[in-house]
């Protein structure tokens, strides 16, 4: 004859399993360990300020893909962020090209240039939750940058071998960033990067200091 389960045994079994799992893995008791994969896509707009040469300052656009990797503590998480960014600096310069023998004045020519700077940087992100909706984060990553330059040189200046604008080419880029985020809902997050250093080593434009505001959504 079938016997009904013991109510005390049925109630105590889940508690026993939880206690056993915490004893086997103390990290679970501290709220640490791997978490289910979560991807977020973010679009950001900001300002890139040339360090040492402000003519490279321009608006900055960036797209991020972020994936949470691990829970470090009940408040801290580790993630990986893949960032694709672009800036478009431009400038013009007036250069002397010779002395007019009739008027005795110096003749000049205007050289214009603009450049597209692309960056692809994978980075590690550590986020710390100060409250259920506000968190602080810090990024550190190493990637590549490429600068494509277009220069407009008048024929008289070109005949003298005068050129302008930044060099084209690839460079390594070290990105260090930090800021805060606000999560008004489970899917939407608003970020503000207050510190963003892009140190470039190689061809193209020089290093920059960036500010960025972004909106992300979980996928």
């Amino acid at each position: 004859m079938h016997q009904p389960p013991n109510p005390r045994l049925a109630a105590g079994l889940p508690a026993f399993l939880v206690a056993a799992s915490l004893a086997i893995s103390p990290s679970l008791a501290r709220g640490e360990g791997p978490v289910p994969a979560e991807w977020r896509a973010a679009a950001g707009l900001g300002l890139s300020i040339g360090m040492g040469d402000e003519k490279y300052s321009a608006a900055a656009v960036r797209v991020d893909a972020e994936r949470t990797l691990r829970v470090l503590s009940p408040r801290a998480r580790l993630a990986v962020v893949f960032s694709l960014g672009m800036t478009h600096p431009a400038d013009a310069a007036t250069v002397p090209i010779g002395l007019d023998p009739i008027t005795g004045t110096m003749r000049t020519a205007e050289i214009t240039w603009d450049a597209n700077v692309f960056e692809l940087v994978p980075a590690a992100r550590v986020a710390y939750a100060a409250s259920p909706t506000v968190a602080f984060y810090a990024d550190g990553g190493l990637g590549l940058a490429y600068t494509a330059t277009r220069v407009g040189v008048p024929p008289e200046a070109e005949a003298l071998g005068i050129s302008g604008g930044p060099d084209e080419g690839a460079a390594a880029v070290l990105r260090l960033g930090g800021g805060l985020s606000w999560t008004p809902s489970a899917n939407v997050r608003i970020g503000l990067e207050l510190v963003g250093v892009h140190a470039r080593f190689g061809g193209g434009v020089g290093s920059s200091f960036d500010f960025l505001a972004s909106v992300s959504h979980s996928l």
Side-chain angles (χ1 to χ4, degrees):
M1 183 177 179
H2 178 69
Q3 297 291 334
N6 188 321
R8 294 184 178 180
L9 179 61
L13 186 58
F16 170 78
L17 292 177
V18 171
S21 64
L22 295 181
I24 295 173
S25 179
S27 64
L28 293 177
R30 298 191 299 266
E32 303 172 3
V35 296
E38 178 193 4
W39 282 96
R40 301 189 70 91
L45 179 64
L47 177 65
S48 179
I49 302 174
M51 297 172 60
D53 198 337
E54 292 194 2
K55 67 183 179 182
Y56 296 143
S57 300
V61 178
R62 198 173 85 195
V63 177
D64 293 345
E66 177 186 347
R67 180 181 179 181
T68 302
L69 296 179
R70 191 172 186 86
V71 175
L72 302 177
S73 75
R75 288 180 176 263
R77 292 194 174 200
L78 174 66
V80 62
V81 182
F82 298 93
S83 300
L84 178 62
M86 176 187 159
T87 60
H88 183 76
D91 197 18
T94 301
V95 296
I97 59 173
L99 184 65
D100 191 325
I102 299 177
T103 63
T105 59
M106 183 64 68
R107 296 172 55 201
T108 60
E110 185 180 63
I111 297 176
T112 61
W113 65 266
D114 63 282
N116 290 319
V117 184
F118 302 93
E119 281 188 354
L120 178 61
V121 182
R125 170 171 294 175
V126 176
Y128 179 81
S131 73
T133 58
V134 177
F136 298 93
Y137 69 87
D139 292 353
L142 185 64
L144 294 174
Y146 182 80
T147 301
T149 307
R150 180 177 56 185
V151 182
V153 182
E156 56 269 27
E158 188 174 7
L160 297 174
I162 299 175
S163 61
D167 295 332
E168 290 192 333
V173 54
L174 172 67
R175 186 173 78 82
L176 301 174
L180 56 89
S181 63
W182 174 51
T183 308
S185 68
N187 293 325
V188 178
R189 181 181 298 165
I190 299 173
L192 185 62
E193 189 165 298
L194 302 174
V195 179
V197 178
H198 297 241
R200 302 184 183 96
F201 308 92
V205 303
S207 301
S208 65
F209 189 88
D210 292 20
F211 300 93
L212 192 79
S214 64
V215 177
S216 68
H217 196 280
S218 61
L219 301 179

